[in-house]
Amino acid sequence: MSHGRTISVVGLGYVGLPVAVAFGRQHRVIGFDINPQRIEELKQGIERTGEVDPAELARSDIHFTCDPDDLEAADFHIVAVPTPVDEAKRPDLTPVLKASKTVGSILKAGDIVVYESTVYPGATEEDCVPVLERASGLKAGRDFHVGYSPERINPGDKEHTFTTITKVVSGDDAATLETVAKVYESVVTAGVHRAATIRVAEAAKVIENTQRDLNIALMNELALIFNRMGIDTRDVLAAAGTKWNFLPFDPGLVGGHCIGVDPYYLTHKAAMLGYHPQVILAGRRINDGMGEYVASAAVKQLIHAGHNVKGSTVTVLGFTFKENVPDLRNTRVIDIVRELRDYGITVQVHDPEADPAEAREEYGITLQEQSSLAPADAVIFAVPHRQYLERGWDLVSSLLDGGEGPVLDIKGRLDRASVPAGIRLWRL
């Protein structure tokens, strides 16, 4: 504890909990969340996101609380709440501004507030600091200080974790930067990178995922082209991938809390400054349209198989935004479901990882048990969860009416060499 700071973490979701657990191995941490159910579950050792091992959670010294007054015991506050976009794809800073008000209400002289939530460049100092000042009656840069350290949590990834990924850190002055760096260096074994300014750190975060978004958009556009040519996209990528500097990206649905969201934070700020991005938004349009494209492909496959589209039954396997996680945030599988329903198709959705209550509340989707699925005219293999891959074609064919029909494998994970007789395979 060379940094001598007492830490609080505000927001105990996919980002905040791993942070709290890492620091909780060293010293008592105040873990705050506005969701009472989440707090009670964590007190009982229940961790629904799957990002933290229950044993690690049990070993960490964390005071879980919903009471903002408990935050006063800390002098280094890490804000790790979601920053989504609204239906118009505009940044929604409501969670981070509310968290700022909460922290500001207990802020005292000498405290440091570090934001990990994804924001556009300038948001920490232009949007969050004024809220801290109003709530506390203190002056930033004189009475308290702020920093920014972008989160790099990759849900479901057990190799690249909070402590093993280089941490970008920043502060509003040189002394704060060094304190922030020392705090994170105490737990992040991969080390830290000191960004020149807070705005630089904020910008680094949004371009990391914007770059990935654009590369995936290129793969998706290639898939649209190669499909018209009758060429398998993944065969092309396998061939091109033999060149040493060809980057390994695959086509697919782009959802989640980062890649499908962060570019809109950057383009929003750019538009505010009078520049209207073209390449970034073009990539977003391609990726946001892939669910509709997959649904239209499914309709064509049903027609080729001799089915009347209206009244057909399609089973969708997987509803989370990526495999082997329960995370439903910004899942683009919903686009497939909604488009198919617009055609008059009965859509059944199954996902062993997702929380049925959350799916119903957030998307109006009823997740069905496998035993309750009616025989389907087509199957869309949307999310290749490990449980699905272990059963492979045996599972997929058992869901089809008579074991025959079209199967749309979005990520190309089913074995193409062993497609059962009577099944027509389509891959993105």
Side-chain angles (χ1 to χ4, degrees):
M1 292 293 294
S2 59
H3 52 77
R5 290 281 176 165
T6 300
I7 294 165
S8 79
V9 178
V10 178
L12 299 175
Y14 286 85
V15 173
L17 186 62
V19 173
V21 167
F23 284 111
R25 296 191 193 109
Q26 293 185 338
H27 193 269
R28 189 163 180 79
V29 170
I30 311 300
F32 175 86
D33 200 282
I34 61 172
N35 185 342
Q37 181 182 352
R38 175 72 167 161
I39 291 299
E40 287 305 311
E41 288 179 348
L42 290 173
K43 286 180 178 179
Q44 298 171 33
I46 300 171
E47 209 292 89
R48 292 185 181 276
T49 70
E51 291 304 302
V52 174
D53 183 87
E56 287 295 312
L57 180 62
R59 282 195 291 267
S60 298
D61 186 3
I62 305 173
H63 172 58
F64 294 112
T65 181
C66 284
D67 186 352
D69 290 341
D70 290 344
L71 295 171
E72 194 170 0
D75 55 15
F76 191 98
H77 308 280
I78 298 173
V79 178
V81 297
T83 42
V85 292
D86 62 20
E87 292 184 1
K89 307 299 185 184
R90 295 171 301 198
D92 181 5
L93 293 179
T94 302
V96 76
L97 294 179
K98 285 184 176 179
S100 297
K101 184 176 181 180
T102 297
V103 173
S105 70
I106 54 83
L107 208 58
K108 55 193 179 297
D111 283 6
I112 294 176
V113 182
V114 177
Y115 291 88
E116 290 211 6
S117 305
T118 299
V119 292
Y120 47 73
T124 297
E125 293 157 301
E126 297 166 9
D127 298 286
C128 298
V129 164
V131 176
L132 292 172
E133 290 180 328
R134 284 195 300 271
S136 67
L138 303 176
K139 180 67 176 176
R142 182 191 68 192
D143 303 317
F144 69 92
H145 292 271
V146 296
Y148 184 79
S149 181
E151 63 91 2
R152 284 175 164 172
I153 298 295
N154 183 27
D157 189 339
K158 303 305 181 184
E159 178 183 356
H160 303 97
T161 62
F162 171 69
T163 60
T164 63
I165 304 172
T166 301
K167 201 79 170 78
V168 175
V169 297
S170 63
D172 58 10
D173 61 21
T176 302
L177 172 60
E178 287 309 306
T179 300
V180 174
K182 284 182 179 179
V183 168
Y184 280 106
E185 282 174 333
S186 70
V187 293
V188 178
T189 57
V192 303
H193 172 86
R194 291 165 172 79
T197 65
I198 288 176
R199 290 163 68 90
V200 166
E202 292 168 326
K205 167 59 178 173
V206 290
I207 72 162
E208 288 174 14
N209 287 314
T210 298
Q211 183 187 68
R212 284 187 57 78
D213 192 45
L214 285 170
N215 276 292
I216 297 170
L218 173 59
M219 298 302 107
N220 278 333
E221 187 163 53
L222 293 175
L224 301 180
I225 295 169
F226 293 143
N227 180 260
R228 290 173 179 252
M229 295 179 176
I231 301 173
D232 188 284
T233 305
R234 284 172 174 78
D235 285 345
V236 177
L237 294 178
T242 60
K243 189 180 180 186
W244 73 92
N245 60 353
F246 187 83
L247 301 178
F249 288 92
D250 293 312
L253 304 177
V254 182
H257 68 299
C258 285
I259 299 178
V261 172
D262 293 2
Y264 289 120
Y265 275 77
L266 182 58
T267 57
H268 172 79
K269 183 65 174 181
M272 290 173 62
L273 298 172
Y275 179 79
H276 299 282
Q278 300 179 58
V279 175
I280 297 172
L281 289 176
R284 281 278 76 235
R285 283 193 295 272
I286 291 171
N287 287 341
D288 279 347
M290 293 310 292
E292 182 179 344
Y293 173 72
V294 171
S296 67
V299 168
K300 291 176 182 178
Q301 292 294 319
L302 285 168
I303 293 171
H304 287 314
H307 295 289
N308 292 322
V309 174
K310 186 176 182 180
S312 291
T313 299
V314 172
T315 293
V316 175
L317 292 178
F319 192 63
T320 59
F321 92 89
K322 67 181 289 188
E323 57 269 28
N324 306 319
V325 299
D327 197 345
L328 290 174
R329 289 175 297 172
N330 194 36
T331 176
R332 299 311 349 137
V333 180
I334 187 63
D335 299 337
I336 300 174
V337 175
R338 288 171 176 165
E339 187 71 12
L340 291 175
R341 286 178 173 173
D342 283 346
Y343 280 100
I345 294 171
T346 298
V347 183
Q348 307 176 120
V349 184
H350 176 270
D351 193 306
E353 296 283 350
D355 179 0
E358 184 181 356
R360 191 178 306 109
E361 180 180 350
E362 295 296 325
Y363 300 100
I365 293 295
T366 299
L367 299 180
Q368 296 182 226
E369 297 290 338
Q370 185 181 333
S371 60
S372 70
L373 295 172
D377 300 306
V379 169
I380 298 179
F381 190 28
V383 186
H385 290 309
R386 189 177 300 107
Q387 294 183 48
Y388 292 149
L389 294 176
E390 287 173 351
R391 297 181 61 188
W393 283 115
D394 287 342
L395 168 65
V396 175
S397 59
S398 71
L399 301 176
L400 288 165
D401 189 8
E404 298 184 349
V407 173
L408 292 86
D409 182 8
I410 295 178
K411 288 198 170 184
R413 298 294 298 276
L414 293 169
D415 184 9
R416 188 174 46 167
S418 58
V419 180
I423 289 180
R424 179 187 177 101
L425 176 63
W426 180 94
R427 311 201 307 175
L428 182 60

